[in-house]
């Protein structure tokens, strides 16, 4: 059964459960398949654009990282909650096979338009702790009572 | 110092000009492939019976997946899959480098397998920062059957070099 | 492709060739379309780790190319009844793959106009890397 977070239990400053992934080439090829983005930047290590950009290896699709913070907020919302909005900027590149940690923190809770909303900062971080994909999200949660 | 690109009044006048619609399909196969593509093992994206038991119409599109645009080699880009269609705005940027700048999705309802969406898109903003041009397009996704808006996405690309 | 007709075909004639040359992007598109994500087709280190010289083209993709070869040749009114091939030799991305065929037998059976074909993919050295056969029907000129 999927876990459910309830509005009353959420506190400002609370961290979401983080996770780390290090996508290999098979994962990026599967993401190309799923997303329809077949840019060779992400799977062909000889692709000329990589050399032109001075990058040593294939890079992870930005939208792959977006989807990872998407997993974080979707799990936080639970089946009875709803992700209303989430967005990120791609500030830094992440290389294939390098660890990416997906994190989030509650920045505010409020009642608005008849909904119980939780505002979050969400991001992915590389192995050096650099926030390569910073963003925010708004999630509506159910009440316990 | 001359800017790499000038955001003219003519360009700004194009903001909001919608393209013709395009059909985006959300199928069980495409939802599962996207979920596999991101490495999610959440059964809500794979198991139809389970998703229904949790109150959904069918398996749920992972967050960020808004369906796959109907593809035809004559109309769609071979690498990225996006459709070339009438309406909207064509910017002729001289830069060769293209990077993803940002993605934001707003949901008014869940998107599930079995949904067929109609998408229109418009140029929302063009900004120059140093030697980079940031182009933001906004897409509106409507459920084809009901006509209701189910999601909006803002996609920013960076043109450089 | 224009429609071809049963009356115009002769045993021994070659069918119109289809030339392929797979980019790495094509191999990834095939992985997406087929669901076969085996890494020997896009991950060079993995391929070499299994003893291969480098990336190789999926056998099933060559089978699909031969299907396209025959489909294109018979035209919209023709039908493929059967086709298949064996994967005898490897083909590599960035290298020409000639998809070719020849009519072996022309006959009618149970009121159908049938042609048996030999089909194959050929590498730049002329080796038949995926030899196979096909049986098709063609319409008569009305």
């Amino acid at each position: 059964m999927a876990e459910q977070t309830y509005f009353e239990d959420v506190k400002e400053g609370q961290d979401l459960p983080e996770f780390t992934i290090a996508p290999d080439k098979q994962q990026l090829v599967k993401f190309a398949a799923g997303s329809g983005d077949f840019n060779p930047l992400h799977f062909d290590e000889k692709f000329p654009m990589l050399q032109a950009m001075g990058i040593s290896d294939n890079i992870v699709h930005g939208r792959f990282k977006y989807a990872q913070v998407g997993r974080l907020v979707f799990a936080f919302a639970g089946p009875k909650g709803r992700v209303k909005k989430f967005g990120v900027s791609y500030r830094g590149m992440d290389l294939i096979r390098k660890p990416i940690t997906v994190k989030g923190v509650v920045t505010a809770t409020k009642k608005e338009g008849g909904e119980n909303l939780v505002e979050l900062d969400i991001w992915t971080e590389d192995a050096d702790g650099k926030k390569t994909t910073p963003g925010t999200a708004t999630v509506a949660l159910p009440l316990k009572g | 110092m001359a800017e790499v690109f000038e955001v003219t009044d003519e360009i700004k006048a194009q903001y909001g000009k919608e393209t013709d619609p395009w059909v985006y399909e959300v199928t069980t196969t495409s939802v599962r492939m996207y979920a596999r593509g991101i490495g999610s093992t959440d059964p809500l994206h794979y198991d139809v019976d389970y998703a229904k038991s949790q109150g959904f119409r069918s398996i749920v599109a992972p967050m960020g997946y808004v369906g796959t645009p109907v593809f035809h080699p004559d109309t769609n880009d071979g690498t990225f899959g996006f459709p070339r269609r009438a309406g909207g705005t064509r910017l002729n940027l001289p830069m060769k480098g293209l990077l993803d700048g940002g993605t934001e999705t707003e949901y008014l309802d869940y998107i599930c397998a079995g949904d067929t969406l109609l998408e229109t898109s418009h140029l929302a903003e063009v900004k120059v920062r140093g030697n980079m041009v940031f182009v933001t397009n906004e897409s509106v996704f409507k459920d084809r059957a009901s006509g209701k808006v189910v999601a909006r996405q803002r996609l920013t690309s960076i043109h450089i070099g | 492709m224009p429609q071809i007709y049963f009356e115009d075909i002769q045993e021994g004639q070659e069918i119109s060739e289809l030339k392929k040359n797979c980019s790495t992007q094509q191999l990834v598109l095939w992985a997406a379309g087929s669901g076969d994500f085996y890494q020997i087709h896009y991950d060079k280190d993995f391929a070499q780790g299994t003893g291969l010289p480098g990336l190789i083209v999926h056998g099933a993709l060559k089978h699909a190319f031969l299907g396209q070869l025959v489909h294109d040749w018979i035209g919209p009114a023709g039908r493929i009844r059967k086709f298949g091939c064996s994967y005898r030799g490897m083909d590599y991305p960035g290298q020409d793959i000639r998809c070719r065929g020849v009519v072996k037998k022309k006959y009618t059976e149970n009121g159908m106009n049938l042609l048996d074909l030999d089909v194959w993919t050929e590498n730049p050295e002329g080796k038949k890397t995926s030899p196979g056969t096909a049986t098709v029907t063609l319409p008569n000129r009305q």
Side-chain angles (χ1 to χ4, degrees), chain C:
Chain C
M1 300 270 284
Q3 185 59 55
I4 55 172
Y5 298 97
F6 189 68
E7 297 88 326
D8 300 332
I9 306 303
Q10 266 140 23
E11 283 180 8
Q13 102 181 47
E14 246 207 77
I15 75 175
S16 340
E17 185 175 315
L18 175 68
K19 183 134 45 140
K20 292 287 185 183
N21 188 309
C22 299
S23 62
T24 50
Q25 192 186 62
Q26 177 67 71
L27 298 190
V28 169
L29 282 165
W30 173 258
S34 66
D36 174 5
F37 291 99
Y38 193 27
Q39 300 93 317
I40 60 175
H41 307 297
Y42 53 80
D43 187 335
K44 194 193 75 187
D45 291 342
F46 187 98
Q48 287 174 339
T50 70
L52 290 167
L55 300 183
I56 64 168
V57 176
H58 310 60
L61 178 53
K62 294 188 285 181
H63 176 256
F65 287 158
L66 292 176
Q68 186 186 2
L69 170 77
V70 179
H71 170 90
D72 288 353
W73 184 67
I74 62 178
R79 288 288 179 272
I80 297 175
R81 297 188 63 77
K82 197 157 85 169
F83 88 102
C85 66
S86 304
Y87 312 119
R88 292 280 162 77
M90 287 184 222
D91 288 283
Y92 306 101
Q95 211 173 72
D96 282 351
I97 298 172
R98 293 176 70 189
C99 304
R100 305 176 65 184
V102 74
V103 179
K104 298 296 283 186
K105 189 172 161 198
K106 178 180 172 179
Y107 57 108
T108 56
E109 201 174 271
N110 300 326
M112 288 189 294
N113 301 328
L114 295 166
L115 299 167
D116 287 347
L117 313 171
D118 275 355
V119 293
W120 67 94
T121 61
E122 199 173 292
N123 71 9
E125 284 82 54
K127 181 179 170 193
K128 289 187 181 177
T129 50
S130 320
T133 57
T135 301
V136 304
T137 62
L138 282 184
N140 290 113
R141 282 189 183 282
Q142 285 311 335

Side-chain angles (χ1 to χ4, degrees), chain A residues 84-105:
Chain A
K84 289 181 67 70
K85 191 155 97 165
F86 78 115
V88 300
S89 300
Y90 309 114
R91 290 282 161 78
M93 292 188 209
D94 286 275
L95 291 180
I96 192 172
R97 289 179 289 268
K98 296 277 187 270
I100 297 169
T101 301
V102 188
K103 293 180 164 179
V105 68

